[in-house]
Amino acid sequence: MVKKALITGITGQDGSYLAELLLLKGYEVHGIIRRASTFNTGRLDPIYDDPHSGRTKLFLHYGDLSDASALSRLIDRVQPDEIYNLAAQSHVRVSFDGPEYTTDITATGAVRLLEAIRETGIKPRFYQASSSEMFGKVQEIPQTERTPFYPRSPYGCAKVYAHWITVNYRESYGLFACNGILFNHESPRRGETFVTRKITRAVAHILAGLQSKLYLGNLDAKRDWGYAKEYVEAMWLMLQQDKPEDYVIATNETHSIREFLDTAFGHVDLDWKKHVEIDPRYYRPAEVDLLIGDYKKASRQLGWAPKTKFADLVKLMVEADVRLLKDHREGRIKVAG
């Protein structure tokens, strides 16, 4: 019997990679997308472009985490075996400007989804996308599944709520529900407003003579960066276990934004110091200085480990953005893979 999966946030970086993975595993994949006046499904193009991807088993439905009744109707109609909640207002800096919206979608949206599952009476396996931003002002190094949370942004606070409400529904209603505490994970499909993609995209434009300056905030912040395409496999593995648990997914390495700049610009023989300027507008009101995750539990219980090293990930993203810009200029519109 073909398994069915429902993905919220399917048009995002993680959602598109997860959809590809599940289709290759023979799933029927349903995704929730928000209605917009322009197409926002570009990251799903590789699925439609690949005849071996199982694209005939991909179904998109209009919906939103702010609409509880629509979520309930959709879950009842699709009857999914697995649900992956990847949708969120996920930009940390933006969450300071829109804390109420961030809370409504990122925190309360998770409750609406869990309630929809409970009310329909079906028993899907549920994955909640938790975040390393929940650790915020870190209480220990490295961070594990037992490290106390100390969020430093509205986004981090909302993710903490979504994390604990998932645990609550697991313990209160016997729901098979897992939290994946994913540390920063990047790829050529990363949104252009996130610092890593902002850097690699700027490298391509500077190299082509289309841009001269890149404006950034805190260059000393350190993050644990992995490859998103590998991290979605960990999501799937969590829902294949005998019992639901929570897992840190990370690389156990930390690198500063300066190091990211060194690697990205250095890959094309540019000196980032000649192009990067600091703009105070990009500083957060409360900064997260250091994140580094311990993935031993995931390695032991899921058999998962990161494969792509930091420098290779940065170079992969730079090369993809150089290629993407070249395709755009030559009229071949593609989405980075």
Side-chain angles (χ1 to χ4, degrees):
M1 188 173 176
V2 175
K3 277 190 174 182
K4 295 181 185 179
L6 176 65
I7 304 172
T8 72
I10 194 171
T11 59
Q13 169 188 252
D14 294 5
S16 64
Y17 280 125
L18 179 61
E20 282 183 316
L21 176 71
L22 295 178
L23 288 166
L24 288 172
K25 291 182 179 296
Y27 281 64
E28 178 180 303
V29 177
H30 296 258
I32 299 177
I33 62 172
R34 286 180 297 168
R35 178 74 178 90
S37 59
T38 57
F39 289 113
N40 58 358
T41 55
R43 291 188 182 93
L44 299 176
D45 285 348
I47 294 173
Y48 291 106
D49 291 341
D50 182 358
H52 305 293
S53 66
R55 62 193 177 198
T56 57
K57 292 183 178 180
L58 176 62
F59 304 91
L60 301 180
H61 309 267
Y62 286 119
D64 197 294
L65 287 186
S66 64
D67 189 343
S69 60
L71 290 173
S72 186
R73 287 194 302 272
L74 180 60
I75 289 171
D76 189 47
R77 187 165 76 249
V78 173
Q79 298 275 311
D81 299 287
E82 297 171 3
I83 296 177
Y84 297 85
N85 184 29
L86 311 185
Q89 190 302 101
S90 58
H91 197 288
V92 177
R93 181 62 189 84
V94 170
S95 77
F96 285 100
D97 299 324
E100 185 177 346
Y101 175 75
T102 299
T103 301
D104 185 50
I105 299 303
T106 307
T108 313
V111 182
R112 294 187 186 107
L113 197 51
L114 287 163
E115 270 295 282
I117 293 168
R118 190 174 73 86
E119 288 178 357
T120 57
I122 66 171
K123 293 288 184 181
R125 296 191 167 201
F126 179 78
Y127 172 86
Q128 168 61 29
S130 287
S131 168
S132 59
E133 287 288 332
M134 300 188 305
F135 295 120
K137 190 175 181 180
V138 299
Q139 303 300 290
E140 65 179 359
I141 299 172
Q143 294 89 56
T144 73
E145 294 81 3
R146 295 178 298 279
T147 302
F149 299 138
Y150 195 141
R152 300 271 282 171
S153 66
Y155 170 76
C157 293
K159 280 293 187 182
V160 169
Y161 179 85
H163 178 96
W164 281 117
I165 201 67
T166 299
V167 173
N168 183 260
Y169 271 65
R170 179 170 73 208
E171 296 177 351
S172 300
Y173 304 114
L175 186 65
F176 191 109
C178 300
N179 286 295
I181 308 173
L182 271 58
F183 281 63
N184 290 63
H185 45 291
E186 318 298 322
S187 76
R189 297 184 194 173
R190 189 56 144 154
E192 293 174 1
T193 60
F194 291 85
V195 66
T196 52
R197 185 73 195 289
K198 188 176 177 181
I199 291 170
T200 61
R201 189 171 179 272
V203 168
H205 282 71
I206 291 168
L207 191 65
L210 300 176
Q211 182 176 335
S212 60
K213 294 294 182 183
L214 169 63
Y215 297 93
L216 297 173
N218 180 14
L219 303 187
D220 297 317
K222 292 184 176 181
R223 295 291 183 271
D224 184 325
W225 276 304
Y227 186 19
K229 192 172 185 178
E230 296 169 2
Y231 281 37
V232 298
E233 185 178 9
M235 299 176 188
W236 176 77
L237 286 167
M238 289 178 209
L239 299 195
Q240 313 313 308
Q241 304 307 303
D242 292 333
K243 63 177 184 175
E245 296 187 34
D246 306 322
Y247 299 88
V248 162
I249 303 299
T251 70
N252 201 29
E253 292 183 11
T254 190
H255 300 272
S256 69
I257 293 172
R258 288 181 191 275
E259 289 177 76
F260 199 104
L261 287 166
D262 277 333
T263 306
F265 278 80
H267 186 54
V268 293
D269 298 319
L270 289 174
D271 180 0
W272 67 264
K273 296 181 182 69
K274 294 179 180 177
H275 300 281
V276 174
E277 292 190 8
I278 303 301
D279 187 334
R281 291 178 300 175
Y282 294 117
Y283 279 96
R284 301 178 185 179
E287 184 57 81
V288 173
D289 296 315
L290 170 65
L291 293 173
I292 178 170
D294 183 343
Y295 65 91
K296 286 194 186 75
K297 180 181 177 182
S299 177
R300 185 175 63 251
Q301 294 183 206
L302 305 180
W304 181 90
K307 301 179 183 70
T308 305
K309 303 300 287 183
F310 171 76
D312 294 329
L313 173 62
V314 178
K315 291 171 185 176
L316 180 155
M317 291 177 66
V318 169
E319 289 169 4
D321 270 323
V322 169
R323 209 163 44 242
L324 186 64
L325 179 59
K326 184 173 182 288
D327 287 338
H328 270 283
R329 298 182 83 182
E330 293 178 358
R332 299 193 303 272
I333 309 300
K334 294 183 179 180
V335 173

